[in-house]
Amino acid sequence: MGAAIRDSDMGQVMKVLIIDDEARITRGVQKYFEQAGFETVPAFDGPTGLARARSEKPDLIVLDLMLPGMDGLEVCRTLRRESNVPIIMLTARVEETDQLMGLEIGADDYITKPFSPRMLVARARAVLRRNQLAQPQEASEVYRFGDVVFNVGTRECLLKGQPVALTPTEFEILLTLIRARGRVLTRTQLLEATSLGYYDGFERTVDVHIHNLRRKLEADPSNPRYIRTVFGTGYRFTENPESE
């Protein structure tokens, strides 16, 4: 485990769990994160990574897709049932379907191997900044639509009074749509508004997150009331769908 160093950009010491069975990659990633002021915890297989995620309570997890014992997708699925810790998936697979699968089960970002450790640290900072928007904001910024209550200050989303677990990226996309309610936002605008612009035009990423939001919030995700698709353009949030 690396020494705890205060990260000047984040304002506090942030702990990163790195789960990858390639020791050379893990040690190299640890080095860059520690130089950037993060505390690091390594794990070299799926079961150990899952156990350390539970015991160490990291602020962010870097998770390889191909792992012995339990693959990265299953680790991610299990973690998403237990917490909303930000997850960056590492994958040697270049197929779009593999990358989208990681996002669909709750990863916040993905990076394809080989990658630059500096870029990984930069992406980690971006994900953590989105997550840190949980800091209290205007107490009056609470939105109610149907059975859903969305509280920006407390970063809570309730459906029929029950908490809805949103990833940091899902929260930011929904907040952006709600604040622009009634207006159509393109996928590019949503990417830029949520610090996802580094996808270099990979706009299907937005579609995956919208799919996940509908699954969590809409009574009938295939016929959404609130998050509407504007074909050929993007998405629009409708506050009072009955009035249309």
Side-chain angles (χ1 to χ4, degrees):
M1 181 183 300
I5 305 173
R6 182 167 298 276
D7 183 343
S8 59
D9 187 36
M10 293 295 144
Q12 66 185 80
V13 175
M14 308 298 283
K15 184 187 294 185
V16 179
L17 171 61
I18 304 163
I19 309 175
D20 194 310
D21 62 327
E22 296 185 61
R24 179 183 58 83
I25 291 178
T26 301
R27 300 305 182 195
V29 169
Q30 278 189 276
K31 176 183 176 181
Y32 273 87
F33 270 109
E34 290 172 6
Q35 288 176 345
F38 291 83
E39 178 183 349
T40 65
V41 178
F44 301 100
D45 59 66
T48 301
L50 185 57
R52 290 186 178 173
R54 290 165 171 164
S55 63
E56 296 286 344
K57 306 296 184 185
D59 298 288
L60 180 138
I61 297 175
V62 176
L63 176 63
D64 188 30
L65 183 63
M66 304 298 293
L67 292 169
M70 177 187 294
D71 68 27
L73 291 176
E74 186 57 35
V75 172
C76 186
R77 286 192 192 96
T78 303
L79 287 172
R80 275 294 165 260
R81 291 194 291 265
E82 302 174 2
S83 78
N84 291 322
V85 59
I87 297 172
I88 297 178
M89 190 79 77
L90 301 180
T91 173
R93 300 175 178 176
V94 297
E95 291 84 359
E96 182 179 282
T97 53
D98 292 316
Q99 297 164 356
L100 289 172
M101 187 179 299
L103 295 173
E104 286 174 348
I105 63 174
D108 294 276
D109 193 3
Y110 69 85
I111 293 182
T112 303
K113 294 180 177 180
F115 59 88
S116 161
R118 290 182 180 176
M119 177 59 71
L120 174 58
V121 172
R123 300 269 277 265
R125 289 186 187 277
V127 170
L128 287 168
R129 276 194 292 271
R130 294 201 300 275
N131 197 43
Q132 287 202 335
L133 289 176
Q135 297 299 321
Q137 300 184 28
E138 292 295 328
S140 61
E141 197 170 6
V142 178
Y143 303 94
R144 292 177 174 84
F145 46 98
D147 295 323
V148 179
V149 177
F150 190 75
N151 189 316
V152 180
T154 61
R155 203 177 179 85
E156 290 180 310
C157 185
L158 304 177
L159 175 62
K160 297 181 179 180
Q162 299 301 311
V164 178
L166 301 180
T167 69
T169 302
E170 290 167 359
F171 184 95
E172 288 307 306
I173 287 177
L174 182 57
L175 177 58
T176 301
L177 285 167
I178 290 175
R179 284 176 170 168
R181 55 195 178 280
R183 292 192 290 115
V184 179
L185 297 180
T186 67
R187 292 170 176 81
T188 299
Q189 286 175 315
L190 287 170
L191 286 170
E192 292 172 348
T194 56
S195 302
L196 290 170
Y198 46 69
Y199 278 105
D200 296 327
F202 185 32
E203 295 179 351
R204 275 198 65 191
T205 301
V206 173
D207 297 337
V208 174
H209 291 302
I210 292 292
H211 170 79
N212 290 339
L213 283 168
R214 285 171 172 166
R215 178 171 49 83
K216 293 178 180 181
L217 297 176
E218 301 275 6
D220 181 4
S222 64
N223 184 29
R225 300 176 64 205
Y226 303 109
I227 305 174
R228 301 290 187 88
T229 299
V230 180
F231 292 100
T233 305
Y235 296 98
R236 172 171 56 90
F237 185 87
T238 302
E239 191 170 11
N240 298 304
E242 291 85 358
S243 64
E244 294 193 345

